[in-house]
Amino acid sequence: MKTLKLSNIVWCAALTLCACGDSSVDSTGVVAPNAAESDSAGETTEVSNPEISSDNQGSTAENQSSVSTEQSSSTEEVIIEQVASDPVMVSEISGDPVITFTNASVSVSNDNGCIAQNEKTITISCQGNYQLTGSSNDNQIIVNAGSTDNVYLYLNGLQLASASDAPIYVQNANKVFLLLVDGTKNTLEDASTRTKAYTKSNGSSDTTNATIYAKDDLTIKGSGALTVTGNYNNGIHCSNDLRIRDLPEITVKAKNHAIKGKGSVNIEGGYFELTATNGDGIKSDEGDDEGVVTEEKGIVIITGGEFNINAGDDGIQAYNYILIADSTSTPLITVNSKGKGIATDNRLYVNGGVTSVTSGDDGLHSNMNIYFNGGRTTISAGDDGIHADSTLRISDGSINITKAVEGIEAFYIRAEGGKTATVASDDAWNAAGGSADANSTSGSQWGGRGGPTGMMSGSKGYIIISGGYHYLYAAGNDIDVLDANGTATMSGGVLLLEIGSSGRSSAMFASGNQGGNQGGSWGGSSSCSTNTAGGLIDTDNGFSINGGVLLGFGSQTEEYPYCTATSYTAGTAYGSSKAAFKPSSSGSMIIYGGEVSSVSQVDVSGMTEVTLPNGMTYYEK
């Protein structure tokens, strides 16, 4: 049994999955997050559930079951380790054709009459099992079988390169399976240029754009090792549905994308070292050229495996949606990317997994919606930690944004559960992007508060907090901890706000109230000055709270429910007998609200400790 190399603890439920691209049907069920409801204020979140097919025609599985996104934060923390399935052995195809490569020649034994050789190219023209073995620095395998044929290629210690083309080219078949024989090491490498062009059925020409280039469904399975070098463009490319299952050890280094399944990419397990010099680590983009979403196409589904992805552009990218979920194992995903870490044009579902993203651009990005229903996610981003053009919905899971300009940014931020910790150099949470003009059809209008003095912005955005534990920290010049270009409302959960020691000081606003606060303050101490430049809370149309716990530590704010001009010290607990927190820096003002009616220094002995994703502790009773 081979187990994962990391010992992380992950929040997970036993989510299961079936997928297309294989003639066999898994015994597991399907996880599909519920559709989000649309909001009365115009939230564009009504979407269809991801449909994951399991039969060999790719139709929707009849045994699909929807699993509610309302997951308990008390879910037992466990690791689901990868367990090898039955190994792929050549003994199971004894008597079937064996193709042996050398630099000098290619030999065939047990010929079934469907293998033809033309100089350095071997063409397989019918269904069946084929064992590939040996070593050659200039040969090619082409599969050009019938449209209903399934072809099984057993890679048994195959070292194959092509000096002019792709070493494996699936030109036509129903499905092709690459089976990595247990205990073997296999390598494939293509040429850095192309000298061949192939004629498609419609008469147009085609060039192999990857080391493994498949025009029809491709499944890679087994527990052997496969190393792919893509000198021309992509490493592994499937023009339809690509599926990877069992526990293969796959290493890909490609000039452009490491792994691309244009129709879909579905990965259930394995060990992956992916390097995409100029492109994406894992990619699926069907519908992108037309700008039309096709059901169950343009998707990436990851339900197991261990990934180390280094990308010159995005780590994982899909046009339709991305789903990360626990199944028979817990996905462990590490992304280092120059572009975005994980990006989609439409939807991103994080239902499980342990994901760590370091990105030059946004950590997680969607041109529409992002849903967190579980898992543990850590992000260090060069721009936004998490960005959704429309809605970000946090129902469960753990999110730790350790570095970002804008920590979380979306038109709608809905915090319903889970635990989050956000550190940002601009706004920690920023609700923005929708047009401030109700008649505008110009789309998103991303931006800050509209100027260095925090005046009303040219866009709208909404924050709704009803559950979970959320720590927001910002430090820098001209920052807001919680910023909404519309309204912010809180009815439950815990909200902890902090301006770091390097944030702007109250001396910048020494004259006191600079024109009043937009949302109004009530019940606060007269010694707590407000200003229109934001700080702990800054909204264009008001902040309201009727439940939950609010504690904020800083030196300035535009709005607050209650406030005390109390000096506080880093590492000392402040709050009430029911709710307390130890800020990381010192300051002169504490805002509070909800279930907290007054604040002071607190003895937290006897209180329950809640550990936040960044290791800080909140105390409650």
Side-chain angles (χ1 to χ4, degrees), residues 561-582:
Y562 296 92
C563 177
T564 177
T566 298
S567 295
Y568 58 89
T569 305
T572 302
Y574 297 88
S576 69
S577 60
K578 294 183 178 180
F581 182 68
K582 296 178 180 180

Side-chain angles (χ1 to χ4, degrees), residues 223-308:
S223 298
L226 174 63
T227 298
V228 176
T229 302
N231 296 311
Y232 178 67
N233 192 42
N234 300 337
I236 300 172
H237 177 106
C238 176
S239 298
N240 201 13
D241 298 326
L242 172 64
R243 183 179 184 182
I244 302 174
R245 56 183 308 197
D246 296 339
L247 290 186
E249 296 185 22
I250 296 178
T251 301
V252 180
K253 184 176 182 180
K255 183 177 180 180
N256 195 20
H257 309 310
I259 294 176
K260 179 178 177 180
K262 186 173 182 63
S264 67
V265 177
N266 191 315
I267 300 177
E268 300 174 14
Y271 302 88
F272 300 85
E273 290 284 339
L274 307 179
T275 301
T277 304
N278 300 313
D280 304 331
I282 301 173
K283 185 179 185 72
S284 181
D285 64 355
E286 184 163 328
D288 191 12
D289 293 340
E290 302 80 9
V292 176
V293 172
T294 302
E295 184 178 0
E296 298 314 302
K297 295 294 183 180
I299 63 177
V300 173
I301 298 172
I302 298 175
T303 55
E306 182 174 341
F307 301 81
N308 185 22

